[in-house]
Every structure is written in C-alpha cells, then in structure tokens.
Amino acid sequence: MMDILKKKHRVHSLTGRITMEVLQKAFKSVKRNRGAAGVDKQSIAMFEANLQANLEALMRDLKDGSYQAFPLRRVYIEKGGGKFGPLGIPAVRCRVAQETTRLLINPIFEPLFHNNSHGFRKERSCHSAMEQLKSFHRLGYRFVLDADVKGFFDTIPHKLIMGLITREIADGNILNLIKKFLQAGVMEEGIVRPTRKGTPQGGSTLQVSRLISPLLANIVLNHLDWRLEEKGYKFVRYADDFVVLTKTKRQVERALEVVTDCIENDLGLQLSPEKTHITTFGQGFKYLGFYVSAFTVRMGSKAEERFKDKIRKLTIRNRNLDASVVLAVNRVISGTVRYFGAAFATCLGQFNELDRWIRRRIRSMKYKRIWKTDNRRFKNKYIYRMGFVTCRKIYLKTS
C-alpha cells in the first residue's frame, strides 16, 4: 500500500478559498438534493430560516479549525430480497461543510482521474458508462470480469484515504476537516459508535451524489484505474461498480488476478466472492441496473421489480382513481423510462409488457378486482384519456 502514498508537489492555502460565495453554493446543492435531518433534528428548511447567520458561523469554524462534525444518524434501507443496508445521514450543517470541502478539492483531483471513470463527475453519468461499455463490445471485447468490492464505502481504510489526499494537498486545516468527516461516528439507538474505517455516506442516492464520499471513492479507486491502464486492459467504472473487458478467456482470468492483487494488497479491501465472476456478453450480465447481453440492453430484473413495487403502492384497490394517481404514476413511469430507455437500450418489448401490466393495475383500481372482462368495459383509450402516459411512447420519444 505504501507505494501509492509517496509524496509529491502538493497544493497549499485552500482554507483561504472558503468564502461565503462557496458556502452559499454548497448550501444550494444540499437543498437541491434534499435529504432528512441528522442527529440534531435540524431540517434543511430550519437551517435556511437563519441561513446567513448559520453560514457565517460555519465559515468561522471551518477557517479557524474549530469545526466539529456531528455523528451520522444511522438508518437502514431495503436492498431487495429482504436485505437491508446501512446508511448514515449527516446533519445539514455537516452536509454543507462536506460539500464546501468537495468544491475546494475536486478541481485538484479531477484532472488526475482516468477517462474510464464515470461516477459522480461532471458531464459523465451511468449512461456515458454504458455507452463506453457498448463501444468496447463493438470492438470485439466479449469477455467480462464483473467485479464487486465487498462493503466498499464502509470498509475503505482511513489511513489510505488520508494518504492519497495528502499526496496532493498540504493544507493541514483541510486535511483535518476531512479526517473529522471520516471519524464523526454513527449514532444508533442513542449510542454513538466510532467510525474507524469507511466514508460518510448520505441518506439517499441523490444525497450521496453531492456529499464527499463519491469523490473519496474515486480518489481511492483511481489507483485501480491506472493499474488496469498500465496492464493494457479495457474497463468501465462507475464509483465502486466496474467491469474489465478482454478478447480472450485467458486475458480475463489474468485480469481477475491483477484486480485481486490491486484491491486486496494495494488498497487493503476485499472482492466479494459471491458477486465477482467472469462472464461474456453472450451469457449476459447486470451493470448499473441494466441487463446487458450481446444483442440487448434493458432494465435489469431487480430494477424492474423496484419499478413495479412503486406502481403497486400507487395503485392499491382501496384508493380512488383520480388525478393525483395519474400524476404520481406518470412521474414514476417517466423517470424510469427516461433512465432505462436511453439511446443505447433495446427495451421496447419490455416496456410494452409493462404497459399491459400497468393497465391491469389501473383497471383493478376502478373495479376493485382483477377480471378479464374489465378489459372490454374499460378500454385502453379511456385509460389514456384520463392522462396516463405509456412506457412505449416515452421510450420512442427519448430513444
């Protein structure tokens, strides 16, 4: 691990760049991404009610080194299959502090990142990652190492994070700030437990995207990116989700050895043996919620089930079929189809089937039952006259 922590020319004087303008920009980002209150029970609206004074106080604490991070509030979210994953929700004040720090250090690290890294970077997205993945397949890369780092965000060694950041940054105050974020602890059932490894994840996917954890993840895994580049491998990475692509089975087997050595020996992490495997485009695999094969890119089975669960909650039979239902269902359909119906995807058949399923849910709301004859009583044209959109139409407009 120590080889990747060698010192070099570093950036000084970042603390002087903490201004009210930067803090206001950070707060706007936090507000835009919403999120629940932390352990102090202060919501975004409550923080905003006295915004100027709160930001001025925070700026003083950040500049003079007196800032103290609140512990994260532990919550658990369902991950499917009856499993739940832990997340920590920072206080609003801490979220603004993290975003301020991210705004200061991101320009330093962004030029160092590999072009094949797509997660939480400007003008990059899951879609750009998928586009690159498909382009490698068109060039003849058929074998795939689908790798997963076990508990990545929860297990990154703090020493590794700080060592990699210290290579680029010499401002002790900023380094101490980041250390405080990492060591803030987690409050669960009224008890604060220390955090000796891992990064401060937010309370939702949107919130995580604007906190400092994704940047720290990119800083850590950037070493893996350049190791793969050095060995001549093609790969695509989105945060901790990455695939390595080769033209032969022997090459992909060798890639697994390289990745294992880098992850475990250089970074002190572990690959998940259950989720790391070698496959091919012909066999198909899942990536970023999509199911990818030689001829198809469509919504993955877990993503489809999550979509159906959202629609089920909105179309329960004891609820009135009114305009609020139409609006809510349309919002879920539009968001899902716009994500999975990108230009590279081939989802039309899947979306046609989902439209049929949604129509059955709507008819069951109207008649409080599921019965075949209801199709004739409440035809498709009547459903769409109510204002419901279809997966098919949105897909054809966006693809």
Side-chain angles (χ1 to χ4, degrees):
M1 185 187 296
M2 296 308 298
D3 288 344
I4 64 175
L5 301 182
K6 291 179 180 177
K7 293 183 180 180
K8 50 176 285 185
H9 178 71
R10 300 180 295 167
V11 177
H12 298 73
S13 307
L14 285 176
T15 300
R17 302 179 194 178
I18 300 175
T19 64
M20 280 300 295
E21 183 181 359
V22 174
L23 266 75
Q24 287 167 352
K25 184 177 180 181
F27 174 75
K28 287 179 181 178
S29 177
V30 169
K31 181 181 178 181
R32 183 167 57 248
N33 291 296
R34 302 185 298 277
V39 294
D40 62 348
K41 299 182 180 179
Q42 185 180 45
S43 66
I44 292 175
M46 293 166 64
F47 188 91
E48 188 177 21
N50 196 20
L51 183 61
Q52 186 68 20
N54 284 333
L55 292 182
E56 287 176 355
L58 178 57
M59 184 170 68
R60 286 194 299 271
D61 290 349
L62 293 175
K63 279 180 168 290
D64 64 21
S66 62
Y67 169 83
Q68 294 297 322
F70 290 114
L72 309 182
R73 181 167 67 86
R74 174 66 78 213
V75 296
Y76 291 86
I77 60 167
E78 190 172 0
K79 299 180 71 175
K83 296 182 180 180
F84 289 82
L87 286 178
I89 302 180
V92 175
R93 188 174 193 266
C94 295
R95 298 213 289 272
V96 176
Q98 286 189 36
E99 177 63 4
T100 299
T101 307
R102 189 192 72 83
L103 290 171
L104 294 176
I105 70 173
N106 187 65
I108 298 169
F109 288 97
E110 178 61 30
L112 307 178
F113 293 151
H114 197 283
N115 189 52
N116 294 18
S117 169
H118 296 263
F120 307 105
R121 298 178 64 190
K122 190 175 181 180
E123 297 180 359
R124 293 167 185 263
S125 65
C126 293
H127 289 165
S128 67
M130 292 298 299
E131 289 279 12
Q132 188 173 52
L133 179 65
K134 291 296 291 179
S135 70
F136 285 144
H137 178 241
R138 288 192 292 269
L139 292 173
Y141 292 86
R142 300 184 297 110
F143 289 86
V144 180
L145 169 60
D146 185 2
D148 182 87
V149 181
K150 189 174 183 180
F152 176 70
F153 282 97
D154 296 322
T155 59
I156 310 175
H158 289 176
K159 181 180 178 181
L160 174 64
I161 296 172
M162 295 309 302
L164 291 170
I165 294 174
T166 302
R167 289 184 67 206
E168 311 297 333
I169 296 173
D171 188 320
N173 186 40
I174 296 299
L175 295 174
N176 285 332
L177 267 178
I178 296 171
K179 190 179 294 185
K180 288 175 181 178
F181 297 148
L182 295 173
Q183 298 177 351
V186 176
M187 179 175 285
E188 187 171 6
E189 297 178 350
I191 300 173
V192 177
R193 295 179 173 84
T195 47
R196 296 186 175 89
K197 57 183 179 180
T199 64
Q201 292 191 71
S204 69
T205 301
L206 284 173
Q207 191 173 311
V208 168
S209 71
R210 278 307 187 186
L211 292 177
I212 202 169
S213 288
L215 174 57
L216 300 182
N218 280 335
I219 291 171
V220 170
L221 290 177
N222 191 46
H223 174 67
L224 171 66
D225 295 346
W226 290 105
R227 172 65 67 85
L228 291 170
E229 173 73 20
E230 176 189 333
K231 298 294 182 180
Y233 290 110
K234 303 297 183 184
F235 67 94
V236 181
R237 183 173 67 80
Y238 187 95
D240 59 322
D241 292 333
F242 66 96
V243 289
V244 184
L245 304 109
T246 68
K247 292 185 176 181
T248 69
K249 186 176 181 180
R250 177 68 191 111
Q251 288 173 339
V252 79
E253 290 171 345
R254 177 58 185 152
L256 176 57
E257 296 173 5
V258 172
V259 168
T260 302
D261 177 67
C262 183
I263 292 293
E264 297 184 358
N265 295 328
D266 291 358
L267 303 180
L269 300 167
Q270 277 188 306
L271 288 177
S272 170
E274 300 85 10
K275 297 180 180 179
T276 300
H277 64 284
I278 291 173
T279 184
T280 66
F281 275 87
Q283 294 171 326
F285 59 97
K286 296 174 184 176
Y287 188 58
L288 299 179
F290 291 87
Y291 172 77
V292 185
S293 70
F295 304 105
T296 302
V297 178
R298 58 177 172 79
M299 192 190 313
S301 57
K302 287 185 179 180
E304 181 176 334
E305 192 56 37
R306 284 196 295 270
F307 170 72
K308 286 185 173 182
D309 283 343
K310 291 178 182 178
I311 298 296
R312 286 188 186 103
K313 291 177 182 178
L314 296 172
T315 56
I316 53 178
R317 293 184 210 175
N318 62 359
R319 183 176 179 180
N320 291 330
L321 182 56
D322 56 24
S324 65
V325 173
V326 176
L327 183 64
V329 169
N330 285 353
R331 188 180 296 117
V332 172
I333 291 174
S334 297
T336 301
V337 175
R338 290 183 194 282
Y339 177 80
F340 288 102
F344 53 79
T346 52
C347 300
L348 186 56
Q350 183 181 36
F351 287 147
N352 285 338
E353 183 58 38
L354 286 173
D355 280 336
R356 286 190 285 271
W357 178 84
I358 292 168
R359 288 194 294 267
R360 287 196 296 271
R361 296 290 307 178
I362 293 170
R363 290 186 178 104
S364 72
M365 284 190 74
K366 182 173 178 62
Y367 297 114
K368 314 303 178 188
R369 67 183 187 186
I370 297 178
W371 196 251
K372 291 181 181 179
T373 57
D374 293 339
N375 294 356
R376 294 193 296 271
R377 297 178 63 194
F378 193 34
K379 296 182 179 180
N380 295 354
K381 62 182 179 180
Y382 298 131
I383 292 176
Y384 300 134
R385 283 176 185 172
M386 293 184 67
F388 284 102
V389 298
T390 68
C391 297
R392 177 188 177 88
K393 284 186 178 180
I394 295 176
Y395 172 69
L396 293 176
K397 284 182 180 179
T398 58
S399 61

